[in-house]
Amino acid sequence: AEASSDSDGKPDDDDDDDTGLTEEEVVLAKTIAESPESEQSVQKAALVLRLREGIGSLGRILKTIENFKGIITHVESRASKKEGLQFEVLIKIDMSRQSLLQLIRNLRQSSALDGVTLLADNSVSIKDPWFPRHASDLDNCNHLMTKYEPDLDMNHPGFADKEYRARRKVIAEIAFAYKYGEPIPCIPYTETENETWSRVFITVLDLVPKHACVEYQRVFKKLQEERIFESHRIPQLQEVSDFLKRNTGFTLRPAAGLLTARDFLSSLAFRVFQSTQYVRHINSPYHTPEPDCIHELLGHMPLLADPSFAQFSQEIGLASLGASDEEIEKLSTIYWFTIEFGLCKEGTEVKAYGAGLLSAYGELLHALSDKCEHRPFDPSTTALQKYQDQEYQPIYFVAESFEDAKEKFRRWVAAMSRPFEVRYNPHTQRVEVLDSV
Ligand code: HBI
Ligand code: FE
């Protein structure tokens, strides 16, 4: 099934090209270059080949990939619909960009691998950056950053808790298996998990009226009225996703943990928020250095249902598509100091709108105290501010309003180096690329 979903369904990607190969010789090929990284960096690719002389030629292909120092992570084969002993093979590889280009060139010429050919037109996605064009493409954007996980980090409160680690695994599997368009599986949260939620929920209830921006408060109330936010149980991602959809068109998809910044930001372009579904360890209810669903729900959900904030979020996502690594780093930093830790003016007061503040008692009070520095939000300087994710921020950026932040951000994005423009078409839910070269 994986092979067919990778090769079918996108007829417009399979243009005839000018390699001079006949239809018979040519194979369906799809290269998914997942990031426009530097030549040496390892990237993921998927190739679909048609083998004209039986499955036996697969050995030669694998050997060739090995020669290019590619690491094969997945192989699938199926009989081709074409006449005779023909097969289609899906091969996923991790490979340096340079070798990948060479391999594709080789497969294209087909002399080295007689009987095996590759439709080469998709290798433009190697030349040009690949990025998702539709929310369904986010199925390919689930690359985890292994940073702070209970299995890996001795300082994680769940490190020594076998049961917790097993629970995390079960919930992570749901995210890995998730495909676009499916309902988000319901997780019957345990009593302990609901208890952790309750504790945080009560502290947030306490802080919201005084410190959260009005937009957050308005939606928070609505979530309570609709009985989605209740103190005794963790809401299910699907019901929250439906709520967002009704309000701003945002939807959720389950994420197994911290994603790469590129993958995480790209989903925002489609008004999709990648949300974790597991719960922090009960021993550390008020602080978690990795995102968990309590942070996503209490921190992010209210503002994703606010039209102006939703627009701002999507624009950060759109700016990230096809951006260079340096630009992704800048956009992550802006994301960090706005969506995660942003403050905004409200009359003469300063309020919190960042999710990392609104879901964490300690840092919220710190951010609004005189123990830190407040600077005006300005994308060009904010983007260069170093941030760290283990302790409270020493500096926060204050926006005049979401509208003002959006206006400033737009002007900054216009000066980015990308040689094309992207535009989201809400009717088709596709990103359209407007070439400016
Ligand atoms: N992944 N699941 C998840 N949640 C985040 O908040 C998140 C992420 N990956 C990267 C990331 N945040 C930061 O780099 C942002 O600054 C983009
Ligand atoms: Fe977050």
Side-chain angles (χ1 to χ4, degrees), residues 262-313:
R262 189 181 287 281
D263 281 357
F264 181 75
L265 294 173
S266 71
S267 65
L268 298 175
F270 305 91
R271 296 206 175 206
V272 172
F273 188 86
Q274 305 252 12
S275 173
T276 54
Q277 209 172 7
Y278 55 82
V279 183
R280 65 192 66 174
H281 198 272
I282 184 84
N283 288 353
S284 177
Y286 303 120
H287 180 74
T288 164
E290 58 176 351
D292 77 331
C293 74
I294 299 179
H295 161 77
E296 320 282 23
L297 290 161
L298 292 175
H300 289 288
M301 297 309 121
L303 284 177
L304 288 175
D306 176 80
S308 182
F309 184 86
Q311 183 67 31
F312 178 62
S313 305

Side-chain angles (χ1 to χ4, degrees), residues 352-412:
Y353 71 91
L357 299 174
L358 291 163
S359 63
Y361 196 86
E363 182 144 11
L364 176 58
L365 294 179
H366 166 79
L368 296 169
S369 75
D370 54 10
K371 292 188 197 73
C372 59
E373 197 184 325
H374 287 182
R375 292 187 191 170
F377 172 66
D378 161 41
S380 56
T381 54
T382 303
L384 300 175
Q385 188 63 48
K386 286 272 164 286
Y387 68 86
Q388 41 86 33
D389 48 16
Q390 296 299 311
E391 276 166 70
Y392 294 168
Q393 312 301 314
I395 299 169
Y396 297 90
F397 290 89
V398 186
E400 295 293 323
S401 65
F402 296 148
E403 288 303 320
D404 188 61
K406 214 154 52 189
E407 226 18 79
K408 291 197 167 104
F409 181 72
R410 263 180 209 155
R411 256 175 279 143
W412 180 76

Side-chain angles (χ1 to χ4, degrees), residues 145 255 257-261 264-265 274 276 291 332 335-336 340 387:
M145 261 191 302
L258 206 56
L259 303 176
T260 63
F264 181 75
L265 294 173
Q274 305 252 12
T276 54
S332 294
Y335 179 95
W336 187 263
E340 287 297 346
Y387 68 86

